[in-house]
Each structure stands twice: as C-alpha cells, then as structure tokens.
Amino acid sequence: MSALPQVSVCIPVYNGEQFLAETIRSVLDQTYRDFELVVLDNSSTDATGRIARSFGDPRVRVQTNETTIAQPENWRAAVGLCRAPLVKLLCADDLLHPRCLEYQVGPMEADPGIAVVAARRHMVDERSRVLAPRRGLAGLTGVRSSVEVARRVVRSGANPIGEPGGVLFRREHYDAVGGWHPERRHVMDLDLWMRLLQCGEFLGLPETLAAFRVAQQSLSVDNEAGVYEHQKAIMAELVNGSGLGYIV
C-alpha cells in the first residue's frame, strides 16, 4: 500500500457496538487493498471504542471526540480525517460487498470527469438477512449527466441514488462544494450528491455492492416531517435552478 492510500472509508459512530464489528470486517475484506479505514467514535458510552481498536490492522485509524457532537458535525469531522483523494462514508451498521471498492475505484481512476459513482444496495434486517434486494438507481445506471440525475430525482420525489455506503466521491469535490450541510440533516446524502454533480458526471453501477440496515424502530413523526421538508426544499431547488444550478 502506498504512503497515502487511494481511498478513505470513514465510519462515524456513536454507541454502535451491536453492528460495528461486522461493518468493519466488511471493509477489511475488500478485494481492493489500497485504502484506509477511519473510525470516528463520537464519545460513545458503550464498547464502540474497544471494538474499533480490536482489529489490529494497520489500515484502521480510530479517533475519539472529546465530547459527543451532533451527527452532521460528526460526519463532517469523519471526512475531515480522511487523507485519500477518494472517499466513502459508511454508517456504522451498514455493510460493503467485498468487491465494492474494486468496482467503484476503477471508473473514478479511469475518468476524471466522473464525480460520483453509486451502486445498488440490499436492504437488510438486524441479522443481515436481505429484506429487499437490489434497491436503487432506477433509470440511473451507466454514465449520466447532472441534469439527467436531477430530473430522475425530481420525478422520484425521493433519493434514487441511495445512502452513503453505496457511493464513492472525490475529496477535492467534497471540499469545493462545502461538504455535508448540517441544516439538511435529514437528507444530507442526497443534498451532497446533487452538489457534487456540479463538478462532474454520475456513474450508476448495476451491481449490488452495499447493504443498508433497516432499524427495528421506524422513524419518529418528527423525523418523517423533517425528511419531507428537506426533500421538498431540494426538489424546489432542482426545479428552479436555485442554489444547485439546475433547471429541470
């Protein structure tokens, strides 16, 4: 592995002892080897820190916040610790397919015009059993322009690209567009994907390369309202061309 890795996978985590070991193993089992794994423990009160430090793999770096900070700020801090030109944020209960980085890094290295590479994902339960296979990227496989993606997002009224675990992006673009926006905390992923696409094209892979874990408890009414309001704001920006630069 080179002095500076080609890919940084970062896991921001708070009290994630139930699934963290499985998530870390899914990263360390990648067929693509030139990566670092950054685990940012948000001052957890459970065994998160001990689990993260138990692997003894030189590719793993574990940092701990002095105090617990808000989730959006922890996501920003996690990416801030990354040293590589390509970045993936993985939530502490989600999983990667062993060939995820292999399939995603190649196109990014081959074509500097690609800003975002995304893949489909399985929805899994607390025992990692597949509840819904091959979700996401309807109408978005292959190379797509930012306008094509914006149109698909507006027509879906949701996030057809998916959660962070299925997406790889460039650190320089992340910095250029201002990173995760805390004020969009309920849809930070979709908000960032659309801003990154101001920097280049989108590639949707047909393979299923990640797994998103569905929590046993559903979203609270307050969270559901927040998701709706934040999604509505993004859709309005895409339609009107304000802020994100698109007219759909």
Side-chain angles (χ1 to χ4, degrees), residues 91-102:
C91 293
D93 54 354
D94 293 343
L95 303 169
L96 299 184
H97 184 281
R99 301 186 73 177
C100 181
L101 295 183
E102 176 188 342

Side-chain angles (χ1 to χ4, degrees), residues 35-68:
F35 68 87
E36 66 173 356
L37 172 57
V38 179
V39 181
L40 180 55
D41 176 9
N42 197 9
S43 194
S44 298
T45 58
D46 64 1
T48 287
R50 178 181 59 78
I51 292 169
R53 292 180 173 85
S54 69
F55 284 84
D57 190 304
R59 294 170 297 177
V60 180
R61 289 195 292 128
V62 182
Q63 300 282 337
T64 303
N65 293 331
E66 291 185 4
T67 59
T68 302

Side-chain angles (χ1 to χ4, degrees), residues 99-110:
R99 301 186 73 177
C100 181
L101 295 183
E102 176 188 342
Y103 276 67
Q104 293 189 319
V105 171
M108 295 285 266
E109 291 182 329

Side-chain angles (χ1 to χ4, degrees), residues 124-177:
V124 301
D125 66 10
E126 293 183 344
R127 297 175 62 183
S128 300
R129 296 174 300 191
V130 176
L131 299 173
R134 296 177 54 79
R135 298 300 296 271
L137 299 185
L140 284 177
T141 55
V143 177
R144 305 283 176 165
S145 70
S146 58
V147 172
E148 287 180 284
V149 177
R151 287 173 177 161
R152 179 61 60 175
V153 169
V154 171
R155 289 167 184 165
S156 73
N159 179 4
I161 297 171
E163 301 79 21
V167 175
L168 186 70
F169 56 88
R170 300 184 192 275
R171 175 64 187 272
E172 63 177 318
H173 293 164
Y174 172 90
D175 291 338
V177 303

Side-chain angles (χ1 to χ4, degrees), residues 189-205:
D189 45 9
L190 178 60
D191 174 73
L192 179 62
W193 309 154
M194 299 315 300
R195 286 184 288 110
L196 289 173
L197 290 177
Q198 297 176 60
C199 302
E201 293 185 310
F202 175 88
L203 174 62
L205 300 176

